[in-house]
Amino acid sequence: MAMMLGASTASMRVRTVSTVARRVAPRASLQGARVDKMRQACVAKQPTGARLMGTLGGRRKGASKVSASKDDDTAVKEDKQRRRAHPLDDDTPPSTAAAPNDRDVADDEPVNLVEEFKRGVSFGNSMKERFTTARIDDRGLPIADALICVGASVFVSTVVLALGIPRPSWLVPAPWVPRWRSLPFLVPALSHGTKLAACWIPGALAARAYEAEAYDGSVKEAVSRTVKGGCFAIGILILLTQFSLQLQFAAKGLPPPQLGDGYETDLILNGAASELIADSVFEAVALIGWRIIRCKTDIPPDDPSNTRWYD
């Protein structure tokens, strides 16, 4: 009986295990199929190079790394040899990686204050000599420049009065001049042109525009020195404009004008700025044109033995 019961119990266990295996097997097969499909999809999405690299073994990877490093070292050595042999044929842009280090080294270098002071003094003396011991090879050229400045101012005033354009603040008729046609406007035009000429002469001296190289050389040099002198003259004109505006406001008991103080103040400052720009443009055109004509004109130089060049 015991043997029969044991056999029946074993047979029942075998049946239970087989039943469970039958139920679990389909699920496992489905999960395995899903995993295989996911792997295939991932492999398909990868580029060809990645799939090929993925199929290589660790030994091939190590060999490729070693060969790549050797190739890089060889290329660097060849590049260095080429640069040493032909330093002027290097087309590669300069590297900026060492720039911060260079700046740090330059900042860390000690500065000789005595030498820097001497350089500053020598530069100041050279700038002072441009005005105190200026070289004027053509003694009539400063007078001609002044006449050009005055003529440009008269021309602008004539155009403004002829076309009926709103007059600038400096174009006010003189009350003591007889009212015959536009004669009362001639005095303010001449005075304004004289002010512009007084600004230009120091600028020309600072730019060495009265040396022979500035008007007997190339046109490029003549224009360059004229522009430099004009920049200096514009700076003087700006200072004079600011000073005159402060005097006008101080005469009325007002503080120095600034943008945003009020509507009337903004109108005055904007008008002064527009007039300054117009004066700079017209004078620049007149002086540059005159200097180009002077550069291309064959005029004999001054002779120290004669008081007049045409004698």
Side-chain angles (χ1 to χ4, degrees):
M1 290 293 292
M3 295 177 64
M4 293 177 63
L5 288 173
S8 62
T9 303
S11 61
M12 291 177 65
R13 289 180 180 176
V14 171
R15 291 177 183 175
T16 304
V17 171
S18 61
T19 303
V20 173
R22 290 175 183 175
R23 293 180 180 179
V24 174
R27 295 180 183 178
S29 62
L30 291 175
Q31 291 180 356
R34 291 177 182 175
V35 171
D36 293 338
K37 289 182 179 180
M38 292 176 65
R39 289 179 179 175
Q40 293 177 0
C42 292
V43 172
K45 290 181 179 180
Q46 291 180 352
T48 306
R51 281 182 282 176
L52 291 175
M53 292 298 295
T55 57
L56 295 176
R59 186 172 58 186
R60 294 290 301 278
K61 290 182 180 179
S64 62
K65 290 181 180 179
V66 173
S67 61
S69 62
K70 290 183 179 179
D71 294 339
D72 294 338
D73 295 339
T74 305
V76 170
K77 291 180 180 179
E78 292 179 354
D79 190 16
K80 289 182 179 179
Q81 292 177 358
R82 182 182 62 82
R83 291 183 180 181
R84 291 175 181 175
H86 304 283
L88 299 178
D89 297 338
D90 190 9
D91 296 334
T92 58
S95 176
T96 58
N101 296 330
D102 296 340
R103 287 195 295 268
D104 295 339
V105 172
D107 294 338
D108 294 338
E109 291 180 356
V111 179
N112 193 344
L113 298 180
V114 177
E115 292 296 332
E116 294 295 332
F117 179 75
K118 291 181 179 179
R119 291 178 184 176
V121 171
S122 63
F123 177 76
N125 292 332
S126 65
M127 292 299 297
K128 184 178 68 174
E129 290 175 357
R130 295 190 181 189
F131 300 96
T132 57
T133 59
R135 196 184 85 190
I136 301 176
D137 295 329
D138 187 357
R139 293 189 293 271
L141 190 56
I143 301 174
D145 288 347
L147 292 176
I148 292 296
C149 292
V150 175
S153 179
V154 173
F155 174 78
V156 170
S157 60
T158 302
V159 172
V160 168
L161 294 174
L163 299 179
I165 302 173
R167 300 194 300 266
S169 60
W170 52 267
L171 192 58
V172 179
W176 49 272
V177 177
R179 293 186 175 276
W180 181 72
R181 305 185 70 174
S182 298
L183 186 62
F185 295 96
L186 181 61
V187 175
L190 293 176
S191 64
H192 186 69
T194 304
K195 182 180 75 172
L196 296 178
C199 294
W200 161 251
I201 298 298
L205 292 175
R208 295 177 178 174
Y210 293 126
E211 297 179 357
E213 295 82 2
Y215 56 85
D216 277 342
S218 62
V219 176
K220 181 179 179 181
E221 183 67 19
V223 173
S224 175
R225 297 204 185 189
T226 306
V227 171
K228 291 178 182 179
C231 293
F232 192 94
I234 290 173
I236 297 176
L237 184 60
I238 291 173
L239 293 177
L240 290 178
T241 303
Q242 292 178 346
F243 184 70
S244 62
L245 288 174
Q246 289 182 1
L247 288 180
Q248 292 177 8
F249 277 73
K252 299 178 182 178
L254 299 175
Q258 293 182 356
L259 284 175
D261 290 344
Y263 180 73
E264 295 81 2
T265 304
D266 292 345
L267 282 178
I268 294 173
L269 293 179
N270 291 329
S274 62
E275 292 176 7
L276 194 148
I277 294 172
D279 289 338
S280 302
V281 171
F282 287 114
E283 293 295 327
V285 172
L287 287 171
I288 290 175
W290 154 242
R291 284 305 182 109
I292 292 175
I293 294 173
R294 176 65 180 83
C295 183
K296 293 186 176 181
T297 303
D298 188 12
I299 298 177
D302 288 342
D303 188 359
S305 60
N306 296 329
T307 57
R308 293 175 294 181
W309 63 267
Y310 53 82
D311 287 342

